[in-house]
């Protein structure tokens, strides 16, 4: 293990220990127990930093410096998708039909993050295309967003058997890929659908009623947490709070667009 790799692991473990003290159930996986990547090397996870004050995502490159895996240097989403397509970093790699990477605008202002692929997604290799995905499409349309206007991905890229909740080692193996996706898309906002997405991405947990309806943050990017579409199919009573969350998101997007338009108009006026 190189000095850079050892430093990354030490920093990651220090962060996870802090998360464990705060949240109680963050699993601290030993390097010897970590799943092997496809080239036989132990997988390294990118840490979640406690300091979310900077809007720069250069931290990703800093954290993976010295790690010799092709995906870390991918310059585009297409290149990243190709690099991880054969991943066997966790046990789900042996049972999936297709790796479900992500779809949408690679330069989207909004990134939607879900939990994991289901049966339909596993069959076609695309996220959110089953019943829950159809509902997501309608929810986005309700605030005048097309699926092609946003970027959609999941915490993990392989379907868990029986659509069970992802296990901690599976999240640990796959989360760095999501971090890299975010670093490449550079969204202005993130919409986390469901508690698994919220906990895995920014380390918060608790009842959804305590997580939604407020602004969170991930490395300077505002994050809104709301119910997963699958949960809405099980309990339609959650549609009303979800709609409130989506209206808040629409207001944020509109406010930013208004600011952009005002700045452009001011620039035009000054140039006359």
């Amino acid at each position: 293990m190189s000095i850079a790799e050892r430093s990354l692991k030490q920093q990651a473990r220090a962060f996870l220990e802090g998360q464990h003290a705060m949240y109680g159930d963050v699993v601290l996986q030993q390097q010897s127990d970590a799943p092997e990547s496809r080239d036989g090397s132990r997988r390294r996870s990118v840490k979640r930093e406690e300091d979310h004050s900077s809007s720069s995502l250069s931290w990703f490159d800093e954290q993976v410096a010295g790690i010799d895996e092709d995906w870390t240097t991918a310059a585009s989403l297409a290149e990243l998708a190709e690099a991880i397509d054969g991943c066997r970093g966790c046990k789900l790699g042996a049972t999936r039909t297709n790796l479900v990477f992500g779809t949408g605008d690679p330069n989207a202002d909004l990134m939607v993050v879900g939990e994991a692929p289901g049966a339909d997604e596993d069959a076609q290799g695309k996220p959110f295309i089953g019943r829950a995905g159809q509902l997501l499409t309608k929810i986005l349309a309700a605030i005048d967003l097309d699926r092609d206007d946003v970027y959609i991905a999941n915490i993990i890229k392989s379907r868990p058997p029986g659509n069970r909740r992802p296990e901690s080692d599976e999240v640990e193996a796959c989360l760095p890929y999501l971090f890299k996706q975010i670093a490449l898309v550079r969204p202005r906002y993130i919409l986390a659908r469901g508690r698994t997405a919220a906990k895995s991405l920014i380390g918060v947990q608790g009842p959804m009623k305590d997580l939604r309806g407020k602004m969170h943050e991930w490395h300077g990017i505002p994050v809104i947490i709301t119910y997963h579409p699958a949960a809405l199919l099980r309990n339609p009573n959650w549609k009303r709070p979800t709609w409130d969350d989506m209206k808040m998101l629409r207001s944020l997007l509109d406010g930013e667009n208004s600011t952009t338009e005002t700045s452009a108009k001011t620039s035009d006026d000054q140039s006359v």
Side-chain angles (χ1 to χ4, degrees):
M1 180 182 295
S2 70
I3 295 175
E5 291 171 340
R6 190 179 303 113
S7 175
L8 172 63
K9 180 174 176 59
Q10 291 170 345
Q11 293 175 48
R13 183 161 298 283
F15 174 77
L16 289 174
E17 287 172 348
Q19 292 288 292
H20 185 271
M22 294 172 64
Y23 302 116
D25 63 349
V26 174
V27 176
L28 303 179
Q29 186 175 15
Q30 295 295 328
Q31 181 76 7
S32 60
D33 297 330
E36 292 187 349
S37 61
R38 56 182 175 177
D39 62 359
S41 62
R42 296 291 176 179
R43 177 162 304 284
R44 278 76 59 180
S45 295
V46 179
K47 72 187 182 71
R48 283 175 291 187
E49 296 181 350
E50 292 179 339
D51 181 7
H52 293 221
S53 60
S54 172
S55 61
S56 172
L57 292 176
S58 61
W59 63 269
F60 182 89
D61 294 326
E62 295 173 358
Q63 300 312 313
V64 298
I67 296 179
D68 186 19
E69 293 180 4
D70 291 344
W71 67 269
T72 63
T73 58
S76 68
L77 291 169
E79 188 177 335
L80 176 61
E82 182 179 358
I84 70 172
D85 186 62
C87 177
R88 294 295 185 268
C90 75
K91 54 187 174 292
L92 298 181
T95 60
R96 68 169 182 253
T97 302
N98 288 294
L99 183 141
V100 181
F101 182 75
T103 58
D105 184 351
N107 300 301
D109 286 339
L110 174 65
M111 187 164 179
V112 179
V113 177
E115 177 179 301
D120 293 324
E121 291 78 11
D122 181 51
Q124 299 188 40
K126 297 179 180 179
F128 282 99
I129 57 172
R131 289 182 63 216
Q134 294 168 15
L135 180 55
L136 173 63
T137 300
K138 294 178 180 178
I139 292 171
L140 292 172
I143 60 169
D144 297 322
L145 287 176
D146 188 86
R147 283 181 64 114
D148 293 336
D149 296 330
V150 305
Y151 192 80
I152 303 174
N154 283 308
I155 294 294
I156 65 173
K157 312 303 184 192
S158 302
R159 181 197 180 198
N163 292 344
R164 63 162 170 74
R165 194 178 298 274
E167 296 176 355
S168 59
D169 62 314
E170 296 160 358
V171 172
E172 181 179 346
C174 223
L175 197 58
Y177 298 151
L178 177 66
F179 289 173
K180 180 65 174 180
Q181 286 176 296
I182 298 173
L184 290 169
V185 175
R186 293 183 177 270
R188 296 183 184 275
Y189 299 98
I190 295 174
L191 178 65
R193 307 303 305 245
R195 290 189 299 168
T196 297
K199 179 184 175 183
S200 301
L201 185 61
I202 59 177
V204 297
Q205 63 178 353
M208 182 58 71
K209 64 181 179 65
D210 296 334
L211 300 179
R212 55 156 301 274
K214 66 184 71 173
M215 191 75 68
H216 302 265
E217 193 175 84
W218 186 84
H219 295 283
I221 302 176
V223 177
I224 292 177
I225 299 170
T226 194
Y227 292 95
H228 193 285
L232 303 181
L233 293 173
R234 296 191 299 268
N235 189 340
N237 292 329
W238 289 334
K239 289 184 178 181
R240 172 53 59 181
T242 299
W243 175 235
D244 291 338
D245 295 333
M246 297 305 292
K247 288 191 294 184
M248 178 173 65
L249 175 60
R250 181 73 262 180
S251 295
L252 290 170
L253 292 169
D254 287 342
E256 185 161 292
N257 290 338
S258 296
T259 300
T260 301
E261 291 170 3
T262 300
S263 299
K265 183 177 185 303
T266 300
S267 177
D268 290 341
D269 290 342
Q270 290 175 343
S271 65
V272 173

